[in-house]
C-alpha cells in the first residue's frame, strides 16, 4: 500500500499570513487537528500547525499574560511564529511501511503530501492509520 491509498486529499490549509486566532477558529469549525500552512504569495507548502502546538501556545499565553489577554495575543500572533517549519513530507507513491516507521520513530501525528511544485495535495495522519487498521481487521472477519 502507498500514501495515495490512505491520504486525505485536498486538506484544509491556512495561509502563512493568518493569525493563531484564525487557525484556532478554523480548527474548531472544521474539526481538524492539523493545518498545512501555505504561502500566501504562491500557495507552496511552508509548514504545519498541529493542534498540540496550538494548544501549547495558547496555554503559554494564558500562563504568561492571563486569560483576559488571550484573544488579543492570539489575534496578533502570526502562524509563522508557532508552525513547525518544513521537515519531512511525502509523495503519493511512498510505501506505507516507511511512513508508519517515521510516525513511530518521530512521534509525529501528520505528514503533508506534496506534489513536485511543493503544493499540498494531501495529508496523512495517525487517524488515517487507525482507519486502515479498522478496514484490515474487518476484512479478516
Amino acid at each position: 500500500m502507498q500514501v495515495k491509498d490512505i491520504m486525505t486529499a485536498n486538506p484544509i490549509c491556512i495561509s502563512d499570513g493568518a493569525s493563531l486566532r484564525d487557525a484556532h477558529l478554523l480548527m474548531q469549525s472544521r474539526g481538524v487537528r492539523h493545518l498545512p500552512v501555505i504561502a500566501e504569495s504562491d500557495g507552496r507548502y511552508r509548514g504545519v500547525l498541529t493542534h498540540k502546538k496550538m494548544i501549547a501556545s495558547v496555554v503559554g499565553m494564558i500562563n504568561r499574560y492571563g486569560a483576559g489577554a488571550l484573544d488579543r495575543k492570539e489575534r496578533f500572533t502570526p502562524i509563522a511564529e508557532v508552525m513547525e517549519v518544513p521537515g519531512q513530507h511525502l509523495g503519493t507513491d511512498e510505501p506505507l511501511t516507511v511512513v508508519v516507521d517515521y510516525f513511530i520513530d518521530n512521534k509525529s501525528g501528520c505528514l503533508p503530501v506534496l506534489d513536485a511544485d511543493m503544493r499540498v495535495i494531501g495529508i496523512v495522519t495517525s487517524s488515517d492509520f487507525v482507519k486502515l487498521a479498522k478496514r484490515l481487521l474487518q476484512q479478516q472477519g
Side-chain angles (χ1 to χ4, degrees):
M1 294 190 83
Q2 298 175 321
V3 164
K4 63 185 169 195
D5 298 318
I6 69 164
M7 74 177 198
T8 299
N10 304 312
I12 297 161
C13 296
I14 193 162
S15 162
D16 62 353
S19 71
L20 184 58
R21 180 73 178 153
D22 296 330
H24 193 160
L25 293 172
L26 185 58
M27 283 182 179
Q28 280 183 325
S29 68
R30 301 301 288 269
V32 296
R33 296 180 301 131
H34 308 96
L35 289 173
V37 180
I38 57 173
E40 209 168 277
S41 60
D42 61 9
R44 291 176 189 233
Y45 177 67
R46 295 278 321 276
V48 66
L49 180 65
T50 65
H51 188 255
K52 181 178 177 180
K53 182 73 171 179
M54 185 195 62
I55 294 298
S57 296
V58 167
V59 168
M61 288 175 184
I62 291 171
N63 288 337
R64 188 170 198 178
Y65 305 107
L70 179 60
D71 186 61
R72 184 172 49 82
K73 288 294 182 185
E74 272 191 315
R75 288 180 194 275
F76 292 104
T77 301
I79 290 290
E81 287 184 15
V82 292
M83 73 180 187
E84 296 174 16
V85 294
Q88 182 70 27
H89 61 274
L90 304 168
T92 56
D93 296 332
E94 193 78 40
L96 290 183
T97 53
V98 172
V99 179
V100 77
D101 284 341
Y102 180 85
F103 273 37
I104 292 168
D105 293 343
N106 296 285
K107 296 182 181 13
S108 181
C110 74
L111 284 170
V113 182
L114 308 180
D115 67 13
D117 293 323
M118 297 298 287
R119 287 187 169 68
V120 178
I121 57 172
I123 192 167
V124 174
T125 69
S126 54
S127 295
D128 294 320
F129 279 100
V130 172
K131 291 173 191 171
L132 174 62
K134 179 183 176 183
R135 193 169 74 216
L136 294 174
L137 289 170
Q138 287 173 333
Q139 287 175 357
Q140 286 184 336

